[in-house]
Amino acid sequence: MEKQVINFYKNTFLFVSVICFVFGITRTNAQDLSLSGGKKYTLGSITVTGNSSYNERTVIAFTGLKKGDELFIPGKKLSEVLESLWELGLFSDINFYLLKVEEDVAHLELEIKEVPKLSEVKVRGVSKKKKRENIISDNQLNKGTKVTENLIANTKNSIVKDLRKKGYLNAEVDINTIEVNDSLGQPVGVNMVVNVKKGDKLKIKNITINGNEKLSDKKVRKYLKKTKKKFPLRFWKRSKLIPEDYEADKANIIDKYNERGYRDARIVSDTVIKRNGEELDIAIEINEGNRYYFGNISFIGNSAYSDDELSRILGIKKGDPYNGVLFQKKIADPSKPDAQDITNQYQNTGYLFSRIVPVETRIYNDTIDYEIRIKEGKVAYFNEVLITGNDRTNDNVIYRNLLTRPGARYSRQAIMSTIRELGQLNFFDAEKLQPNIKNPDPNEGTLDIEFPLVETGSSQIELQGGYGGGGFIGTLGLRFNNFSLRNIFNKEAYQPVPMGDGQSIAIRAQASQAFRVYSLSFVEPWLGGKKPVQLSFSLSQTTQFLFNPFTRQADRNRKFTIAGASIGIAKRLQIPDRYFTFSSALSFQQFNLNNFNTGLFTFPNGTSNNLAFTVGLSRDNTFSNPIYPKGGSRFGITAKFTLPYSMFDGRDYAELAAERQVALDNNDAEELARIDQIRFDWLEFYKINFNAEWFNKLFGDLVLRTNVEFGFLGAYNSDRGIPPFERFFVGGDGLAGVTLDGREIIRLRGYPNQSIIPRTRSTASEETFNDGATIYNKYTLELRYPITLNPSASIYTLAFIEGGAAFDNFQDFTPFELSRSAGLGLRIFMPAFGLLGIDFGYGFDPIPGTNLGPNGWETHFIIGQQF
């Protein structure tokens, strides 16, 4: 007999669903329903036909039917079977046929056509291989993928959308599939051909603004941040029409009108007119509406804060021009978690469950009255505070940095500060510090909070170095930044060294043509483990050789050695805020000179001692990632000084100064050396340093770093004079930072190392040496953009302009007469090696003391040193 097709499920199933709903069919024990006069049968067998890689038993198992089942044909049960088979997404065509009926026993045939699998993909119309590969990978067109109509449609839409983002508004994509058969002629899959027709990029020729009276055409076009018309000199912004950007720009125009009081401003219409195959015009029609003003603003439901307190935070008064954008930000500014708004005022004092809703209550003439309705809720307290993921770092090291303690009032600011504190430890991936609030209970006023941590490598093999014209300067050493001194005799703690207590220990050997340094340092950040009082000490020995920056050679027969030790204490303050740190240190150095008599070092052989005190005040509120801060600032001011020995050592330094002048006039080097040995047996000086950095997030992850530096070295007694140590050497990669003889090497890219001498000195020559300066200043602007902030390797690019200068005294100090430079660079931070990088700097000015024109390009290789 002829097969009777019973593939009816889509329309019939919908019909039955409606009938069941309308008439309230609720019998849960009913196995099936008759559709369109269907007859009840007992299932005898199911035969599976068609192309499928699945065996018959598997397909029948998909149906859920079995021999002996009772069902109506047509009927609801069979319709649901078809529905479930379609939902599997394995078949492109499904048909049930009634093969034969023996009395009341029905034998069915299930004909299926399996969704073909992808064999091969070819992308045409895209010239670059990498882009073709990206189309295949982005759309998951992998071999063996089921080629459904949905996959084809999504692939087509995705490619078109991506091309339109790049300005190809006329882009078209066609996708064809070709069946692939095996040697027996059986289908085994399909090949896919993706034909891409990009068309020409459409550039914006004109942007016409109509209907605007309060804002000029120029201003409105300015608010189209990413939709710009063609202009040859504007190479940094595109003139392509990107639909998503265009919609955002139109919304920005309305926001700007709202900020000026035009609450009802609307874009009535916008038209895109294609001029030809390459250009288009945009016409925007604006209805500005009337200007509105704020009327009465009242608060309802507030008890924790008075109306006056909330009004001061709001900062908006009756009669002010309406500014909907500012008004919303004063209620809650999601773009700034630490904003001074009403929501944060409540959130930072425990009111986690507070809700603040502004409501327009009256609009009359040009005035709008508001009610700010507040539901404060219960004060919330932290219940459980959990940390997870710390496999190496001990719990107490983390808990002592938490500002969210069990039983403490909830505070959003406390959570943000905790994130910053944990990030600044540099033991964890700062980019993944995302706390989870759990089990908030508005009835009980409690919540739990979890800080999931991802530990990163904190120890370093130090390979610090650079090359900036004076030769290679390098450091070899080991630094353990999460060391555990208490476990140093515990053999089981060596993995490979005792870790987990947050201490730092460093062993270093530093070398260049000009010096050799060996040092050991140790830092305990929480002395006693109760309060953030940092203890540090260091031991060092240095051999310094005389270096000529013009020949770029060091004379190893002329040297001095330095032995030194220091101990310091630093304490975090609570006033004015907890970002301040006060530090103090005591240091001692002994200098032994051996045929080292150039310029200021007039006694070639002898000793000098330096017992100095250092006090400093610093503030650091940079955002959580110490490698790539995205906001905040750092500043520090330090004063280093010795005892004023000349006040009580009984020497007449005025007489010594007169004797020294006679020795100079007579060119008596031996007498000059004797006098200077007396002058500098114990160094006497004071030194002031100031440094400030600001990090501003411009947009996205683009960050502007602004830096200002200043240093001054002075003397208590002008007759005794400024000592030859502790001076500033400006120029180059600045690898050494602060060397152990007290000299400070100031980094200034675009110039050779230590080449920036005071401009007032005589013209440099082969016999002129840089003995350092007593004053310096430096300014830097640096744009940074990250390539990746992965903790295993953080990489960012930078572009900089900077300038600096050195001076001998304040009479010659001119803060803006600088040696200027600009350039590009790259930084890579790897936990095991520290900071690596390269800078290409162009010096716009001659090296002071020469008349050779701009210094030109200098290359600086940076290993472990930050600018």
Side-chain angles (χ1 to χ4, degrees), residues 749-751 800 821-824 839-843 855-860:
R749 291 163 282 192
Y751 297 92
F800 67 88
S821 65
L824 302 170
D839 287 319
F840 301 97
Y842 184 88
N855 183 62
W857 289 101
E858 293 278 346
T859 301
H860 306 282

Side-chain angles (χ1 to χ4, degrees), residues 86-306:
W86 277 111
E87 289 178 351
L88 291 174
L90 302 175
F91 309 108
S92 60
D93 192 19
I94 307 170
N95 291 289
F96 268 114
Y97 295 100
L98 184 59
L99 286 179
K100 61 180 179 179
V101 176
E102 297 174 342
E103 296 181 354
D104 290 333
V105 177
H107 299 272
L108 303 180
E109 176 186 342
L110 174 57
E111 182 186 59
I112 57 174
K113 184 177 181 181
E114 188 176 350
V115 172
K117 293 181 179 179
L118 186 60
S119 295
E120 185 180 10
V121 182
K122 289 185 179 179
V123 179
R124 294 174 178 169
V126 178
S127 57
K128 293 185 178 180
K129 180 181 178 182
K130 183 64 175 177
K131 291 185 177 180
R132 295 197 299 268
E133 291 173 348
N134 287 342
I135 288 175
I136 293 172
S137 61
D138 291 347
N139 292 282
Q140 299 180 348
L141 302 178
N142 305 315
K143 187 174 181 179
T145 299
K146 299 286 188 179
V147 182
T148 63
E149 292 297 325
N150 190 47
L151 175 69
I152 293 173
N154 288 343
T155 300
K156 184 183 297 186
N157 293 337
S158 174
I159 297 171
V160 169
K161 184 179 179 181
D162 185 59
L163 289 171
R164 287 184 176 177
K165 282 184 179 180
K166 298 173 182 177
Y168 297 99
L169 299 186
N170 293 327
E172 296 180 0
V173 176
D174 293 322
I175 298 178
N176 300 317
T177 57
I178 304 168
E179 190 174 83
V180 179
N181 298 321
D182 60 15
S183 58
L184 300 176
Q186 296 297 316
V188 294
V190 293
N191 290 337
M192 180 182 289
V193 179
V194 181
N195 295 297
V196 179
K197 298 176 183 178
K198 294 192 294 186
D200 294 323
K201 286 185 179 180
L202 292 179
K203 299 295 184 71
I204 302 170
K205 178 68 175 177
N206 296 306
I207 300 177
T208 304
I209 312 297
N210 298 313
N212 55 310
E213 296 178 0
K214 307 304 180 183
L215 295 180
S216 66
D217 290 1
K218 183 179 180 180
K219 276 198 171 182
V220 174
R221 290 193 190 100
K222 178 183 176 183
Y223 300 142
L224 294 168
K225 296 289 187 182
K226 297 182 179 179
T227 307
K228 301 293 184 183
K229 66 179 184 179
K230 284 171 59 175
F231 183 61
L233 299 181
R234 188 183 58 247
F235 57 87
W236 61 92
K237 284 189 178 179
R238 303 171 295 178
S239 60
K240 295 174 290 189
L241 179 63
I242 309 301
E244 292 84 353
D245 293 342
Y246 181 46
E247 292 301 319
D249 283 344
K250 288 191 294 181
N252 189 49
I253 291 174
I254 299 305
D255 284 345
K256 296 302 180 183
Y257 269 104
N258 289 166
E259 288 176 3
R260 288 164 171 77
Y262 297 94
R263 171 184 175 274
D264 297 331
R266 298 289 182 271
I267 292 178
V268 178
S269 65
D270 63 288
T271 308
V272 177
I273 307 166
K274 294 182 181 178
R275 296 170 59 93
N276 49 49
E278 296 181 356
E279 294 179 329
L280 56 84
D281 293 339
I282 295 176
I284 298 176
E285 181 78 25
I286 297 174
N287 183 349
E288 295 178 324
N290 297 321
R291 194 179 197 192
Y292 287 83
Y293 298 85
F294 284 107
N296 295 314
I297 302 176
S298 57
F299 298 91
I300 296 177
N302 53 306
S303 59
Y305 297 99
S306 68

Side-chain angles (χ1 to χ4, degrees), residues 508-523:
R508 307 171 73 230
Q510 190 176 57
S512 75
Q513 289 190 73
F515 62 87
R516 302 281 189 273
V517 180
Y518 305 96
S519 65
L520 169 68
S521 63
F522 175 79
V523 177

Side-chain angles (χ1 to χ4, degrees), residues 31 91 124 186 310 314 383 473 556 583 587 654 746 786 841:
Q31 298 299 311
F91 309 108
R124 294 174 178 169
Q186 296 297 316
L310 296 178
L314 188 64
N383 185 24
I473 305 172
R556 296 180 181 275
S583 60
S587 61
I746 309 304

Side-chain angles (χ1 to χ4, degrees), residues 646-647 651 653-654 684 686 714-722:
S646 58
M647 294 181 62
R651 293 172 180 166
Y653 287 99
E684 181 182 280
Y686 63 92
Y716 299 118
N717 188 320
S718 58
D719 291 324
R720 188 173 190 183
I722 298 174

Side-chain angles (χ1 to χ4, degrees), residues 294 297-300 310-316 322-348 351 354-360 370-375 412:
F294 284 107
I297 302 176
S298 57
F299 298 91
I300 296 177
L310 296 178
S311 293
R312 282 195 294 271
I313 298 171
L314 188 64
I316 296 173
Y322 175 82
N323 186 335
V325 175
L326 176 63
F327 186 66
Q328 288 298 328
K329 287 184 176 180
K330 287 295 185 177
I331 299 297
D333 187 354
S335 66
K336 294 182 179 179
D338 58 346
Q340 297 294 318
D341 57 49
I342 294 176
T343 297
N344 271 348
Q345 184 67 28
Y346 274 94
Q347 292 281 316
N348 290 334
Y351 293 92
S354 60
R355 296 293 180 268
I356 302 167
V357 181
V359 178
E360 292 181 2
Y370 273 95
E371 279 184 0
I372 299 178
R373 299 173 181 175
I374 301 172
K375 183 180 179 182
R412 178 186 289 177

